[in-house]
Each structure stands twice: as C-alpha cells, then as structure tokens.
Amino acid sequence: MVAHSLALPMICFTTLWGLVGIVAPIFVPKGPNRGVIITSLILTAVCCYLFWLIAILAQTNPLFGPQLKNETIWYLRYFWE
Amino acid sequence: MKIQHLRFTCLLSDDIATFAGPPLSQTCEVSAVGTAHSLCLPQAGGTGGVTSELNPTVNSFQRKFVTEIKRCEEMERILGYLLREIKKSDIPLPEGEVNPVAPLPKHVMEQLQRLESELSEVTRNKEKLQKNLLELTEYTHMLQITRNFRETRQTHYEEFPFLEKDSMMDYTSMQRLGAKLGFISGLIQQVKIEAFERMLWRVCKGYTILSYAEINECLQNPDTGEVTRSVVFLISYWGDQIGQKVKKICDCYHCHLYPYPSSNEERTDVVNGLRSRIQDLHTVLHRTEDYLRQVLNKASESVYTWVIQVKKMKAIYHILNLCSFDVTNKCLIAEVWCPVNDLSVLRKALEDCSRKSGATVPSFVNRIPSSDIPPTLIRTNKFTSGFQNIVDAYGVGSYREVNPAPYTIITFPFLFAVMFGDLGHGLIMSLFALWMVIYENDRKLKRSRNEFWNTFYDGRYIILMMGLFSIYTGLIYNDCFSKSLNIFGSSWSVRAIWHSSTLSFILMVNTNAFLTLDPNVTGVFNGPYPFGIDPIWNMASNRLTFLNSYKMKMSVILGIIHMTFGVVLGGINHIHFRKKFNLFLMLIPELLFLLFLFGYLVFMVVFKWLAFSAANSQAAPSILIHFINMFLMQGDTIPHLYSGQKTLQVFLLVIALLAVPVLLLGKPVYLYWLHKGQNRFGVYRVSGYERVRRTSEEEMSLMRAHDMEEGSNHDSLTSSFDFADIFLHQSIHTIEYCLGCVSNTASYLRLWALSLAHAQLSEVLWAMVMRVGLRVGSRVGILFLVPVFGLFAVLTVSILLVMEGLSAFLHALRLHWVEFQNKFYSGAGTKFSPFAFSLIHTGFENDGLPL
C-alpha cells in the first residue's frame, strides 16, 4: 500500500523530542518550580522517544507477516488499495 | 501582664528544591524572648516553619495549659449546641473561607456563655407556652364534643327522674346506696381507646357509660414532637367508689382529664374564656419564636469564625503544653527544628510579635548542637504533593538523600500508561481528571465525606498525567477501544500477494481460509509504519504472536533502563554524602554487573531487530538461547549473531563476574584499612562511616581532647567501627543486588502482561457487546443499540477503567517501590510536620458540627 521510509520519521521524531528535551528546558522561566519542570521535560522526552523508537525498530524488519482471513483480504484488496 | 520569655532552641536545616534532596543540617544557637505567648505562637504558626520536640518527662495532665484546653473544649461544646439549634430552625449559614486571627480565649468564652444561657432560657419558655396552648386546645375540643353527647343523651337522663317518681321503694333504695351521678371527661390517645373501654367494662361491670368521639384535627405533643390523634370521652358513673376506680384507670392510660361543666351556662362561659386565652397564647408564642430566630440569626453570622478561632486556640495550647519552663519560671522554652533558610523568617516573626505585644524583653531563638537526626522536609506544591505522597507511603526519605519524587512525576504515569495503553480509555480518564482539576476550588468537591471520592480527588493530577500518557501509548499501540486507527496508511499490501503467484486472486481467496502475508515477497511490506503499530495487525489472526514478542522486548528494555537510572541516582547519593570511595567500590561494580550482562541483552535485542529481516529469517536466532549460552560459555553450538561475538561475550561475562567480589569485599576492606590507619597514627579523622554524624566544631574538639586523654584504645568505642557488621551489611547488599538484577528484570515483564490483559478485555467487550448491537438490522438496531451502548459504556468504565486502572496503578507502584527504589533509596527518615494553621482541618461535616 503506502510506502514508508525509515529515515523520515526517524528525523522528525528525533528532532521533536530533542526540542522538547534539550531546547525547551532552556526557556523555562525562573521560579521555585524550575528544577521540577526541567526534570519533567527531559524525562518526558526520553520516555516518549524511547517508546516510539522501540515500536518502529520492532517493525523495520518483520520476520513474518499478518495472517488474514480471506474475507478480510478481499475487503482490503478493494477498499484499502 | 505576665511576661513570658520564649527560647526556641532549633536545629537548622538548609533546604534545596525538592528533587535534589532534603535539607542539610547545621547546628547553631539562637534565642528568642517573647511576651504574651499566645501572640508569638500564632505568628510562628502562620509561617508554618517550626516543629517541636516532645517533652517526654512531664505527664500530660500536669502540663500548665490543661485548664485552658478544657475551656476550649467547653467552648466547642457550646458551639456545637449553637450550630444544632441554627440548623433546626433552618437558618442559612454563610459560605466562604474565613481565616480569623486567634484571639484570647476569655472574650470568646464570655460571649458564648451569654449566648448559651439566653438561648436555653428562651427555648424553655417556648416549650412551656406550647404545653399550655395544647392543654387549652384540648379542653376546648372536649367541651365541644361533649356538648354533642349531652344533646343526644338528653332522652336517657330523662328516665332517672321518671324512675324516681315512679316507685318510692326504688328511690329510697337508690338513696340508700348513696348513688350519685358523676361525670369524668377528658382526652385519650386513639390507639388506647379500645383497651380503655374494655378495662372499664371489666372493672366497673356496667356501672359506667362511656361515650367517645374523635377529634378531627391532630394535636402535636410538645414533649415528643409527635402528632397524635386523640379521642374525647365522657364517662358517667354512679357512686364514689366507682368514681375512684375510674379515675385510677384514667391515670393508667395517661388521659388528660378536664373538669366537666354541670350546666350549659357554665359551659359557654368556660368556652369563651378559653378562646380568649388561646388567642393570647398564640401571640405570645409568635413573639417568642421571632425573638429566638433573631438571636440565632445574629449568632449564625459569627459562628463559623468562632469555631475556627476556638480550634486555633486549642492547637496553640497543645503546642504550648510541649514547652517547658526555665529556672525563673517566667520563660517558656521550646525546642524546635527549623529549616536554615527559614531562620530569618522565624526571627522576624518573633520580633514582630514582641513589638505587637509591647513586651520589655523580646523573644529570641538560639541554635544548639544536637546529635539527633533532623526530620526530613520536602517542599511541594499541589501538583507534586500527590507524587510525593506516593513515595512517602513507601518510606519518608532519610535526611538529605535523593528524593525520587520528581522523577516519579513522569515515570509513574508512563509505566502506568505502558500497561494501560488505550487511546479511548486514556481520553476518558484525562477528561475526568481535567474536570476535577478545573473545579478543584469548588468547596463541595474539596470537602466531601465520601472516602472514595476523596482518594480520587487528592490524586487528580496523578490521574491527569496517567490519562495523558495513556493517550500517547494508546496511539503507539494503535488501540482505541480495541480498534486501530489507520492514519498513515498501512505498510502491508495485499495486492502484491498474487502478483507474484500464478493463481488468480479470486481462486486463491476462495480456496484458502487464511493467508499469511510474506514479507519476503516484494511489494508486500513497504517499510515500517511511522508512528506506532501498523493497523493491519488489528485484523490479523496471528496478531498476538507479533505483539507478544514486541511487548516482551519492550518491557525488558524499559526495565533495564529504569533500573540503571536507579543505580545512577544511588551514585548521586554517594557524591552528596561525600563518600567518594563508594563511587568506586559500589557504583562502578553495580553498573558493570547490570550493564555488561543485561545491557548486553538489550543490545542483542536491538541488533536482532536491525540485522535480521525476512530474507534471512530462517537464520534469526533466539536471543534467549544466546543469552543462556553466554553464561554457559558455549558459543560454538549455535551460529553467532555477528563476528567476534564469542570473545566479546566472554569478556563481558568475566568483567561482570569480577565485579561481584569487588562489590562484596571492596567497601569493608577499604573501611577496615582506613580505620587501621587511623589507629596507628592517632589522628582522629572524620571517616565516612554510616553511623558517625557530622558534628559541629565544638564537638569535634571535645572528642579530640577526650581521645588524647583516654588513649587510643578508646578510639574503637567512640568511632564504633564494627567490621563484622559492615561486612554482613555489604554481603547482604551484594546478594540482594545480584539476584535482584535477574528477578527484577523478569518482574518488568508485568508491563507486557498487563497491557496484554487490557487489550484482550477490551477486545472481548467489543466483540461480545457492541458488535452484537451493530450486527442487528437497522430497523430494530436503532432502538436495540441504545441499551447495548449503555451496557458497553457501563462495563467499559467499571471493568476497563476502574478495575484495570487500579490494577495498572498498583503494578506501576510496585515497580517503583521495589524494582526502582531498591537500587538507591533507604527511606528511613521521619517527616517534618510543622505547627501551621493551614494544616488544621477547618472543614465541617454535613450536619454543621465542627470536625
């Protein structure tokens, strides 16, 4: 169906979570909560990026494919493609 | 006016922001003198900065301010009575937050006592009037109804004079009996009238005539407040003895007896008199009720203020009881813990109150050295306090160690979301939490009596974070109420199957019930889905095979990273407590062991993902077998993943295994060597023992002098170095760590298990409930779908949101408490609980009584 590359999402999401985790902490305003907010931003970026990365790496080289019912295949053939 | 000197002796502590760790301790002496203690303590209470040491030697009943506390309790009783009266007369109480200053108790006490006496007097009068009114009303009714009897009975009574005239014998015989006709009239409750009648018949055997009739209106009994129906009766009897018996029976049945008028004129006179008296009574009653209302109205304006003031006073006196008097019996001394940063605030508060109360000698604060461990203070705001409570539930942090709470803010909702991962459910959860957060200042929400609701309300920020992360993981898992979203277009192409085969599409589809898409065939698989799991897997029957493998590996990777983070935080602890040797003797071996074995496992997982594709899928090895072989050092039995694998694995294994004895023996041996070195040179060095605390300069010099006096053999006692103890601790720690690495890594597999359970439950609910409704034809289906959707919604909320939510919450909590915090957190401290008015609960229960 749709061809997806690995490189484009990799660049996109790496920059996105890089912005959240590395660039955004610089702009947090000074206040009593500054430390907590910076910690939260970095941890959020790390967790979310890692989670997405695992999902995409697990699917780059699939060792087997989905087993579909013939009705499903028929539907996919004519409605998804 | 009595002059009171307050001398606070405090141990001060620096506090840094929440994530770096609890306060530092220093010792210093500050002294404060204050007048009018009741002014100073509220000042301190307002700042919320100090906590007191208990004074254990004095019995609580002997303490000075016990009478004051009793007085406060008396005031609370009066206030309770006031509130009840106000509620009874349905006067609205003012809403809103009040925060009055705590006054001296005498003023409030006088006011309250006056109010109470006034109120009780008025209520008593009112009751008396009401009783009076009832009696008069009953009498009126009775007169009216008996008049009716009289008129119907007129014929009967005519007989008697007839009898009299008829025969002389009868007349004389009657006179001889001394028979006289008498009447008794009154009221009795309706339920008792039949029994009354029967009793009369049995006792008097026909010498009485009873006639009765019901009163139409219901009268209120002032004693009990009940409304009862009453019956008016008239008894006519002959003879005095019978009369006495009848009177006794009437007493037994609690009848209200009223005098029976003998003639009609008397009757009308009495009726008129009664009527005017009743009218007068009504007016008087109205006036009384109005006055009562007025009094209560006035009281209701300030009753809440008084309640809070009394509470504050009581708290102050409790704290003052913990102080002790000094030698001159004119000063109050309190020993408190105070954070170093707040010392200036405390001083300023004491100065202010000294000025306000106009004392000649000011209060002061003195720092004194102490060898006790200070309590742990961590400042939180409304957002972080929930997460801090989660950490504190496991154990309050030891003084000045790393606080895991700021990291828990993100990792706890994240691990919850990994187990909960559903877009739709996460959305509902977030909306619920968002509603609670937006309306968090609503008084009704804040102070509910329902325990369950309070639990949810207190954790509203936690639930919000969990919901938001669940939305994200739901997007990655591509699971929304068990359905997948196809945002970017699936990577798997069906058309390509039969392009490469010789059969036609229709024939292939018709002959095979299931077809597996083979990624080896060109065009079938077109690159990884850019965000999350490909939507085609939702429709595949071998979906779980793929998802299980993916989720298990994900759990192990996340677990090992989480644990490594925990070990690193432990390293920060070592740096902070200036035990540099711990870095080399504990942190490095621990990290080597964890990363070289389990980090290598993670590496293998990722390597297999990248290096092996469908083309060489036959050769794709099982990671687990490779891992086991690594330990058994049998690298030759199976084809290796990459060149040089065997040597690398042996290297890693050897280093990791060497790290264990270093971990086991390094620290005890080093400490022993250090200690031995001291003895020989006679220098007292502050070594980084876990037991010896950092003391002030004076104490150090004292100890040094002491040592030199008593010789070096005293050293072992003062420094209390016990090699066996340290070795035991270290060996336990080593065994726990090494075995824990294996078991905790496996424990993280619950991330996979729970997310699988959630997905399956969601799917079952959809298939069994919603799909049944959607499959019905459209005419009936429109109506049928409404209850079906209702059932689906109820089951989703109760099973998937509440039950699965609690389950995932619990398991995420366990992962944090055991697997994560075991790596670095000791949690053996006490909480800093300051005396602060904001912490006194000033809410009210539903019936208006103060809590």
Side-chain angles (χ1 to χ4, degrees):
Chain A
M1 278 173 256
V2 183
H4 296 125
S5 66
L6 179 60
L8 182 62
M10 192 65 91
I11 297 172
C12 278
F13 285 100
T14 312
T15 42
L16 170 69
W17 293 116
L19 278 173
V20 170
I22 303 174
V23 176
I26 304 174
F27 294 105
V28 175
K30 288 209 195 309
N33 296 321
R34 184 158 200 258
V36 179
I37 296 180
I38 292 180
T39 315
S40 304
L41 282 171
I42 296 176
L43 272 177
T44 311
V46 167
C47 288
C48 295
Y49 179 62
L50 189 63
F51 198 61
W52 167 83
L53 189 67
I54 293 174
I56 198 168
L57 286 182
Q59 295 180 98
T60 40
N61 296 318
L63 299 175
F64 59 91
Q67 184 184 51
L68 303 165
K69 276 201 338 216
N70 49 5
E71 299 159 357
T72 318
I73 295 180
W74 200 94
Y75 180 87
L76 291 175
R77 161 75 177 87
Y78 289 108
F79 285 95
W80 275 19
E81 300 175 23
Chain B
M1 181 168 65
K2 215 169 164 192
I3 297 182
Q4 306 256 5
H5 299 258
L6 278 165
R7 186 169 49 165
F8 290 96
T9 54
C10 352
L11 213 72
L12 303 174
S13 28
D14 246 339
D15 54 339
I16 315 179
T18 56
F19 68 100
L24 253 181
S25 92
Q26 290 180 5
T27 56
C28 66
E29 201 181 58
V30 188
S31 37
V33 174
T35 61
H37 50 80
S38 50
L39 269 185
C40 279
L41 213 45
Q43 285 279 48
T47 59
V50 301
T51 184
S52 333
E53 296 271 296
L54 271 174
N55 195 347
T57 53
V58 181
N59 189 350
S60 55
F61 287 108
Q62 295 167 352
R63 301 208 185 158
K64 195 200 178 263
F65 296 97
V66 175
T67 43
E68 312 282 336
I69 292 182
K70 284 215 182 87
R71 212 183 290 171
C72 288
E73 278 173 5
E74 172 70 19
M75 283 194 269
E76 274 184 346
R77 185 194 60 80
I78 298 179
L79 280 168
Y81 167 66
L82 258 180
L83 275 169
R84 269 194 299 272
E85 289 294 313
I86 290 176
K87 281 273 161 162
K88 240 204 292 184
S89 30
D90 286 329
I91 295 177
L93 291 162
E95 295 278 311
E97 302 287 318
V98 281
N99 199 6
V101 185
L104 288 171
K106 295 201 191 83
H107 309 154
V108 186
M109 185 68 170
E110 283 166 10
Q111 274 182 312
L112 285 177
Q113 275 174 337
R114 227 184 327 119
L115 249 182
E116 190 200 9
S117 54
E118 209 177 328
L119 255 181
S120 46
E121 203 187 311
V122 173
T123 352
R124 260 201 310 273
N125 284 344
K126 185 171 145 196
E127 275 171 19
K128 249 194 280 178
L129 287 171
Q130 276 176 334
K131 234 188 188 155
N132 231 350
L133 184 64
L134 180 73
E135 280 174 13
L136 294 178
T137 336
E138 282 181 348
Y139 199 6
T140 329
H141 282 297
M142 189 217 82
L143 288 174
Q144 273 178 340
I145 292 177
T146 48
R147 180 166 42 147
N148 296 341
F149 289 164
R150 181 93 186 197
E151 277 157 12
T152 57
R153 289 286 179 94
Q154 213 59 12
T155 46
H156 287 279
Y157 300 141
E158 293 294 330
E159 286 178 20
F160 288 113
F162 183 67
L163 264 172
E164 266 182 61
K165 286 199 201 119
D166 217 34
S167 89
M168 289 282 248
M169 273 295 256
D170 291 321
Y171 182 66
T172 46
S173 64
M174 283 213 335
Q175 260 196 326
R176 229 181 295 138
L177 286 174
K180 216 172 22 168
L181 193 62
F183 294 98
I184 286 184
S185 58
L187 275 89
I188 187 176
Q189 284 181 9
Q190 192 191 16
V191 293
K192 299 186 188 170
I193 184 68
E194 284 182 20
F196 184 57
E197 198 178 352
R198 244 178 290 144
M199 179 69 93
L200 267 181
W201 176 254
R202 282 200 199 119
V203 172
C204 306
K205 294 189 188 68
Y207 281 95
T208 59
I209 298 176
L210 169 74
S211 36
Y212 59 89
E214 240 178 68
I215 306 181
N216 284 335
E217 51 176 283
C218 304
L219 296 169
Q220 196 188 36
N221 185 350
D223 292 328
T224 59
E226 288 170 8
V227 176
T228 51
R229 293 197 84 94
S230 299
V231 170
V232 172
F233 64 88
L234 175 68
I235 303 177
S236 20
Y237 60 90
W238 293 263
D240 280 330
Q241 278 183 346
I242 302 282
Q244 277 168 17
K245 281 192 201 164
V246 171
K247 281 210 184 77
K248 276 206 194 109
I249 296 174
C250 289
D251 275 335
C252 284
Y253 280 89
H254 301 290
C255 308
H256 300 164
L257 296 176
Y258 297 104
Y260 189 71
S262 33
S263 64
N264 270 341
E265 296 83 27
E266 207 185 321
R267 183 198 296 273
T268 36
D269 282 337
V270 173
V271 167
N272 285 335
L274 280 178
R275 208 176 294 151
S276 51
R277 273 170 72 192
I278 288 177
Q279 259 184 346
D280 287 337
L281 261 181
H282 269 300
T283 28
V284 174
L285 251 179
H286 272 300
R287 290 257 177 78
T288 322
E289 277 176 4
D290 277 339
Y291 179 66
L292 190 66
R293 248 193 120 74
Q294 228 181 2
V295 169
L296 285 176
N297 256 327
K298 199 155 154 287
S300 72
E301 289 163 18
S302 24
V303 73
Y304 269 172
T305 324
W306 284 330
V307 169
I308 297 174
Q309 283 178 334
V310 167
K311 275 213 180 111
K312 283 191 175 175
M313 285 191 274
K314 206 165 156 196
I316 293 176
Y317 283 120
H318 270 300
I319 292 289
L320 283 175
N321 263 342
L322 298 174
C323 308
S324 54
F325 274 103
D326 78 339
V327 191
T328 65
N329 238 19
K330 287 212 189 115
C331 302
L332 265 182
I333 307 176
E335 287 193 13
V336 296
W337 292 104
C338 177
V340 165
N341 283 355
D342 284 351
L343 194 56
S344 52
V345 176
L346 180 66
R347 280 207 181 106
K348 193 165 168 301
L350 286 175
E351 276 171 19
D352 277 344
C353 82
S354 305
R355 221 178 339 112
K356 261 195 232 171
S357 58
T360 51
V361 191
S363 316
F364 57 93
V365 179
N366 260 341
R367 291 168 80 147
I368 53 166
S370 161
S371 58
D372 288 339
I373 305 181
T376 314
L377 165 70
I378 299 182
R379 298 196 200 268
T380 56
N381 54 29
K382 65 182 177 185
F383 178 72
T384 55
S385 64
F387 299 99
Q388 188 64 49
N389 283 341
I390 290 181
V391 171
D392 285 345
Y394 175 79
V396 178
S398 307
Y399 188 58
R400 303 238 88 190
E401 74 166 342
V402 166
N403 179 22
Y407 314 108
T408 308
I409 296 178
I410 297 294
T411 55
F412 177 78
F414 177 68
L415 288 183
F416 171 88
V418 170
M419 292 190 268
F420 195 70
D422 189 304
L423 177 63
H425 302 152
L427 198 62
I428 297 177
M429 196 182 258
S430 317
L431 288 175
F432 172 61
L434 200 62
W435 169 74
M436 278 198 288
V437 167
I438 290 178
Y439 289 102
E440 68 183 351
N441 288 323
D442 188 312
R443 265 194 94 177
K444 245 195 315 172
L445 283 181
K446 239 200 261 190
R447 296 197 184 133
S448 160
R449 279 183 76 183
N450 191 351
E451 279 297 321
F452 289 120
W453 170 256
N454 279 341
T455 316
F456 281 117
Y457 178 77
D458 286 336
R460 57 196 183 280
Y461 286 105
I462 307 179
I463 299 179
L464 181 63
M465 297 295 285
M466 297 193 315
L468 291 175
F469 272 102
S470 298
I471 294 178
Y472 180 75
T473 55
L475 278 172
I476 301 260
Y477 284 157
N478 220 344
D479 192 359
C480 176
F481 295 114
S482 81
K483 295 289 151 203
S484 288
L485 304 169
N486 191 356
I487 306 175
F488 299 99
S490 175
S491 315
W492 295 82
S493 167
V494 176
R495 196 193 304 214
I497 302 178
W498 82 93
H499 273 327
S500 58
S501 94
T502 48
L503 300 170
S504 79
F505 179 69
I506 299 182
L507 191 63
M508 210 164 63
V509 165
N510 281 344
T511 47
N512 300 302
F514 287 95
L515 284 169
T516 307
L517 296 164
D518 186 0
N520 255 334
V521 176
T522 47
V524 172
F525 175 66
N526 301 314
Y529 193 71
F531 190 71
I533 303 288
D534 200 301
I536 202 167
W537 288 107
N538 193 263
M539 293 178 279
S541 55
N542 62 347
R543 172 175 183 231
L544 285 180
T545 318
F546 171 73
L547 279 184
N548 283 349
S549 152
Y550 154 68
K551 284 185 180 173
M552 279 204 226
K553 292 176 180 170
M554 169 205 70
S555 310
V556 169
I557 294 175
L558 286 180
I560 291 172
I561 293 178
H562 201 211
M563 286 197 290
T564 314
F565 182 50
V567 175
V568 168
L569 280 181
I572 294 183
N573 255 345
H574 298 318
I575 297 177
H576 186 84
F577 285 116
R578 311 272 167 85
K579 295 187 189 169
K580 280 256 163 58
F581 65 91
N582 263 342
L583 279 179
F584 300 107
L585 298 173
M586 282 186 69
L587 178 68
I588 302 283
E590 284 178 355
L591 273 180
L592 284 178
F593 185 80
L594 183 60
L595 289 179
F596 277 16
L597 291 179
F598 297 96
Y600 179 66
L601 175 66
V602 171
F603 165 74
M604 278 205 287
V605 165
V606 179
F607 184 80
K608 183 177 171 187
W609 275 339
L610 293 173
F612 287 86
S613 70
N616 48 359
S617 64
Q618 295 300 322
S622 158
I623 302 280
L624 213 50
I625 298 195
H626 273 272
F627 197 53
I628 295 174
N629 280 339
M630 170 172 157
F631 281 96
L632 301 175
M633 297 218 228
Q634 289 173 10
D636 296 331
T637 46
I638 38 167
H640 39 243
L641 288 168
Y642 51 89
S643 60
Q645 182 188 10
K646 186 173 168 200
T647 23
L648 179 66
Q649 278 181 196
V650 167
F651 168 71
L652 291 176
L653 186 66
V654 164
I655 299 280
L657 289 180
L658 278 181
V660 177
V662 173
L663 187 60
L664 175 70
L665 298 169
K667 185 167 153 190
V669 167
Y670 174 77
L671 289 176
Y672 181 71
W673 171 80
L674 208 61
H675 180 75
K676 259 284 182 7
Q678 277 176 27
N679 253 347
R680 225 171 285 140
F681 295 119
V683 173
Y684 188 92
R685 266 196 284 164
V686 181
S687 45
Y689 300 149
E690 284 166 359
R691 298 216 193 86
V692 178
R693 290 173 244 303
R694 296 183 45 237
T695 54
S696 63
E697 286 298 304
E698 320 166 24
E699 278 206 350
M700 282 273 287
S701 53
L702 274 172
M703 276 201 183
R704 238 180 258 132
H706 203 63
D707 278 344
M708 286 192 213
E709 264 179 72
E710 313 241 346
S712 56
N713 56 350
H714 206 66
D715 213 2
S716 49
L717 290 167
T718 50
S719 57
S720 63
F721 176 76
D722 190 355
F723 180 75
D725 207 25
I726 292 189
F727 182 66
L728 189 65
H729 273 280
Q730 195 60 23
S731 54
I732 291 177
H733 176 85
T734 308
I735 296 175
E736 203 183 14
Y737 181 78
C738 297
L739 293 182
C741 272
V742 182
S743 74
N744 292 347
T745 308
S747 177
Y748 274 93
L749 284 173
R750 69 186 70 222
L751 295 173
W752 156 64
L754 261 97
S755 78
L756 176 70
H758 189 92
Q760 290 299 99
L761 267 176
S762 190
E763 201 175 306
V764 160
L765 196 61
W766 176 273
M768 298 275 160
V769 179
M770 206 61 189
R771 205 161 62 184
V772 169
L774 287 170
R775 281 204 168 150
V776 177
S778 53
R779 271 202 210 174
V780 183
I782 296 173
L783 294 170
F784 186 55
L785 206 53
V786 175
V788 164
F789 177 74
L791 185 63
F792 176 74
V794 165
L795 286 176
T796 298
V797 170
S798 62
I799 296 180
L800 287 172
L801 282 180
V802 173
M803 189 186 87
E804 277 287 316
L806 282 174
S807 171
F809 184 92
L810 182 76
H811 284 281
L813 203 60
R814 178 250 154 74
L815 282 177
H816 274 77
W817 280 357
V818 178
E819 274 77 19
F820 177 59
Q821 287 180 203
N822 256 353
K823 303 281 178 292
F824 67 99
Y825 193 60
S826 54
T830 47
K831 200 156 180 188
F832 180 80
S833 48
F835 170 67
F837 287 139
S838 51
L839 295 181
I840 301 175
H841 195 130
T842 53
F844 296 97
E845 298 182 344
N846 278 345
D847 55 2
L849 292 173
L851 283 169

